[in-house]
Amino acid sequence: MVGRRATEKTEVQDDDNRGKSKKTKVLNETEERRTDEQHNYHSEDDQEFEEGDGAQPIGEVLRVSNDGVEKKKHFKAFEFDRNRFELEDTVLVAPEEGKVKPSVTIIKDIFQTEGGSLMVCTQRFYRPEEAKNKAGGTWESRDARELFYSYHLDEVPANAVMHKCMIHCVPLHKPLLDRRQHPGFIVRKFYDYVEQQVQNLTDKECKYVLPDQHLPKE
């Protein structure tokens, strides 16, 4: 009799343990699903934030070039960090690895790749200390604001563009502008980065370099 009751008691305990195990398993599975749902929710939010936080093209597509994976859609403007940038804007671009100062450039093209990356083709100005001299060393500058115009083109991500800047092209025979009245960079020479030589810019060439600038009358 005692043995029978003991057996029944053991069976009841086993049933209770099995019930607790099932309950624990259900709770664990529920918690795992909740954790996965929260993870997916935050991942989607993070992805939307990252996509929305990047540079975005503005306006209609101007033209389409190339085909297949090389296909590019070209635009007139883009927006990044609540700033609008357009073709022919003079801008600073985040410095390359190993460099301290940002690059000074003109935006010549804005395009989006087939993969969705927004890129900018820029025409670079050289700082005299960056411009190599064929005779050795680098070129000297008469003014800390001076830059050299060049035909050097670079392609950089649109989100590398920092902000707009002012550049004045002043022929060598004209006096330098007062920096208090005309802040910004000064361009007086062209740098041939292949031949590593410089030449003075004329009035006509300055109008080509920066066609929208209006220099003060002498």
Coordinates of all heavy atoms in Angstrom, one line a residue, residues 65-95:
S65 N 24.4 57.5 -68.5 CA 25.6 57.1 -69.2 C 25.9 55.7 -68.9 O 25.6 55.2 -67.9 CB 26.8 58.0 -68.9 OG 27.2 57.9 -67.5
N66 N 26.6 55.0 -69.9 CA 27.0 53.6 -69.7 C 25.8 52.7 -69.6 O 24.7 53.1 -69.5 CB 28.0 53.4 -68.5 CG 29.2 54.3 -68.7 OD1 29.6 54.7 -69.8 ND2 29.8 54.7 -67.5
D67 N 26.2 51.4 -69.5 CA 25.1 50.3 -69.4 C 25.5 49.3 -68.4 O 26.7 49.3 -67.9 CB 25.0 49.6 -70.8 CG 24.4 50.6 -71.9 OD1 23.5 51.3 -71.6 OD2 25.0 50.6 -73.0
G68 N 24.6 48.5 -68.0 CA 24.8 47.4 -67.1 C 25.3 47.9 -65.7 O 24.8 48.9 -65.2
V69 N 26.3 47.2 -65.1 CA 26.8 47.6 -63.8 C 27.5 49.0 -63.8 O 27.7 49.6 -62.8 CB 27.7 46.5 -63.3 CG1 27.0 45.2 -63.0 CG2 28.9 46.3 -64.2
E70 N 27.9 49.4 -65.0 CA 28.6 50.7 -65.1 C 27.6 51.9 -65.4 O 28.0 53.0 -65.5 CB 29.6 50.7 -66.3 CG 30.7 49.6 -66.2 CD 31.6 49.9 -65.0 OE1 31.8 51.1 -64.7 OE2 32.1 49.0 -64.4
K71 N 26.3 51.6 -65.3 CA 25.3 52.6 -65.6 C 25.4 53.7 -64.5 O 25.5 53.5 -63.4 CB 23.9 52.0 -65.6 CG 22.8 52.9 -65.9 CD 21.5 52.2 -66.0 CE 20.3 53.1 -66.3 NZ 19.0 52.3 -66.3
K72 N 25.2 55.0 -65.0 CA 25.3 56.1 -64.1 C 24.1 57.1 -64.5 O 23.9 57.3 -65.6 CB 26.6 56.9 -64.3 CG 27.8 56.1 -63.9 CD 29.1 56.9 -64.1 CE 30.3 56.2 -63.8 NZ 31.6 57.0 -64.0
K73 N 23.5 57.6 -63.4 CA 22.5 58.6 -63.6 C 23.1 59.9 -63.1 O 23.5 60.0 -62.0 CB 21.2 58.3 -62.8 CG 20.5 57.0 -63.2 CD 19.3 56.7 -62.3 CE 18.6 55.4 -62.7 NZ 17.5 55.1 -61.8
H74 N 23.0 60.9 -63.9 CA 23.6 62.2 -63.6 C 22.6 63.3 -63.2 O 21.5 63.3 -63.7 CB 24.4 62.7 -64.9 CG 25.5 61.8 -65.3 ND1 26.8 61.9 -65.0 CD2 25.4 60.6 -66.1 CE1 27.5 60.9 -65.5 NE2 26.7 60.1 -66.2
F75 N 23.0 64.1 -62.2 CA 22.1 65.0 -61.6 C 22.7 66.4 -61.6 O 24.0 66.6 -61.7 CB 21.7 64.6 -60.2 CG 20.9 63.3 -60.1 CD1 21.6 62.1 -60.0 CD2 19.6 63.3 -60.1 CE1 20.9 60.9 -59.9 CE2 18.8 62.1 -60.0 CZ 19.5 60.9 -59.9
K76 N 21.9 67.4 -61.4 CA 22.4 68.8 -61.3 C 22.8 69.2 -59.8 O 23.6 70.0 -59.6 CB 21.3 69.8 -61.8 CG 21.7 71.2 -61.7 CD 20.6 72.2 -62.2 CE 21.0 73.6 -62.1 NZ 19.9 74.5 -62.5
A77 N 22.2 68.5 -58.9 CA 22.4 68.9 -57.5 C 22.2 67.7 -56.5 O 21.6 66.7 -56.9 CB 21.5 70.1 -57.1
F78 N 22.6 67.9 -55.3 CA 22.4 66.9 -54.3 C 22.3 67.6 -52.9 O 22.8 68.7 -52.8 CB 23.4 65.8 -54.3 CG 24.8 66.2 -53.7 CD1 25.1 66.0 -52.4 CD2 25.7 66.7 -54.6 CE1 26.4 66.3 -51.9 CE2 27.0 67.1 -54.1 CZ 27.3 66.9 -52.8
E79 N 21.8 66.9 -51.9 CA 21.7 67.4 -50.6 C 22.4 66.5 -49.6 O 22.2 65.3 -49.7 CB 20.2 67.6 -50.2 CG 20.0 68.2 -48.8 CD 18.6 68.4 -48.4 OE1 17.9 69.2 -49.1 OE2 18.1 67.8 -47.5
F80 N 23.1 67.1 -48.7 CA 23.8 66.3 -47.7 C 23.9 67.2 -46.4 O 24.3 68.3 -46.5 CB 25.2 65.9 -48.2 CG 26.0 65.2 -47.1 CD1 25.5 64.0 -46.5 CD2 27.2 65.7 -46.7 CE1 26.2 63.4 -45.6 CE2 27.9 65.0 -45.7 CZ 27.5 63.9 -45.1
D81 N 23.5 66.6 -45.3 CA 23.6 67.3 -44.0 C 22.8 68.6 -44.1 O 23.3 69.6 -43.6 CB 25.0 67.5 -43.6 CG 25.2 67.7 -42.1 OD1 24.2 67.4 -41.4 OD2 26.2 68.3 -41.7
R82 N 21.7 68.6 -44.8 CA 20.8 69.8 -44.9 C 21.4 70.9 -45.7 O 20.9 72.0 -45.7 CB 20.4 70.3 -43.5 CG 19.6 69.3 -42.7 CD 19.1 69.9 -41.4 NE 18.4 68.9 -40.6 CZ 17.9 69.2 -39.4 NH1 18.0 70.4 -38.9 NH2 17.2 68.2 -38.8
N83 N 22.5 70.6 -46.5 CA 23.1 71.6 -47.4 C 22.9 71.1 -48.8 O 23.0 70.0 -49.1 CB 24.6 71.7 -47.1 CG 24.8 72.3 -45.7 OD1 24.2 73.3 -45.3 ND2 25.7 71.7 -44.9
R84 N 22.6 72.1 -49.7 CA 22.4 71.8 -51.1 C 23.7 72.2 -51.9 O 24.3 73.2 -51.7 CB 21.3 72.7 -51.6 CG 21.0 72.5 -53.1 CD 20.0 73.4 -53.6 NE 19.7 73.3 -55.1 CZ 18.7 72.7 -55.6 NH1 17.8 72.1 -54.8 NH2 18.6 72.6 -56.9
F85 N 24.1 71.3 -52.7 CA 25.3 71.5 -53.6 C 25.0 71.3 -55.0 O 24.2 70.4 -55.3 CB 26.4 70.5 -53.2 CG 26.9 70.6 -51.7 CD1 26.4 69.8 -50.7 CD2 27.8 71.6 -51.3 CE1 26.8 69.9 -49.4 CE2 28.2 71.7 -50.0 CZ 27.7 70.8 -49.0
E86 N 25.5 72.1 -55.9 CA 25.2 72.1 -57.3 C 26.5 72.0 -58.1 O 27.6 72.2 -57.6 CB 24.4 73.3 -57.7 CG 23.0 73.4 -57.0 CD 22.2 74.6 -57.5 OE1 22.7 75.3 -58.4 OE2 21.1 74.8 -57.1
L87 N 26.3 71.7 -59.4 CA 27.4 71.7 -60.4 C 28.1 73.1 -60.4 O 27.4 74.1 -60.3 CB 26.9 71.3 -61.8 CG 26.3 69.9 -62.0 CD1 25.7 69.8 -63.4 CD2 27.3 68.9 -61.7
E88 N 29.4 73.1 -60.5 CA 30.2 74.3 -60.5 C 30.4 75.0 -59.1 O 31.0 76.0 -59.0 CB 29.7 75.3 -61.5 CG 29.7 74.7 -63.0 CD 31.0 74.2 -63.4 OE1 32.0 74.8 -63.1 OE2 31.0 73.2 -64.2
D89 N 29.8 74.4 -58.1 CA 30.1 74.9 -56.7 C 31.5 74.7 -56.4 O 32.1 73.6 -56.7 CB 29.2 74.3 -55.7 CG 27.8 74.9 -55.6 OD1 27.6 75.9 -56.2 OD2 26.9 74.3 -55.0
T90 N 32.1 75.6 -55.7 CA 33.5 75.4 -55.2 C 33.3 74.9 -53.7 O 32.7 75.6 -52.9 CB 34.3 76.7 -55.2 OG1 33.6 77.8 -54.7 CG2 34.7 77.1 -56.7
V91 N 33.9 73.8 -53.4 CA 33.7 73.2 -52.1 C 35.0 72.6 -51.5 O 35.9 72.4 -52.2 CB 32.6 72.0 -52.2 CG1 31.3 72.6 -52.7 CG2 33.1 70.9 -53.2
L92 N 34.9 72.3 -50.2 CA 36.0 71.6 -49.5 C 35.5 70.2 -49.4 O 34.4 69.8 -49.1 CB 36.2 72.2 -48.1 CG 36.7 73.6 -48.0 CD1 36.9 74.0 -46.6 CD2 38.0 73.8 -48.8
V93 N 36.5 69.3 -49.7 CA 36.2 67.8 -49.6 C 37.1 67.3 -48.5 O 38.3 67.6 -48.3 CB 36.6 67.1 -50.9 CG1 36.5 65.6 -50.8 CG2 35.7 67.6 -52.0
A94 N 36.5 66.4 -47.7 CA 37.2 65.8 -46.5 C 38.6 65.3 -46.9 O 38.7 64.7 -48.0 CB 36.4 64.6 -45.9
P95 N 39.6 65.5 -46.1 CA 41.0 65.1 -46.5 C 41.1 63.6 -46.7 O 40.5 62.8 -46.0 CB 41.8 65.6 -45.3 CG 40.9 65.7 -44.2 CD 39.5 66.1 -44.8

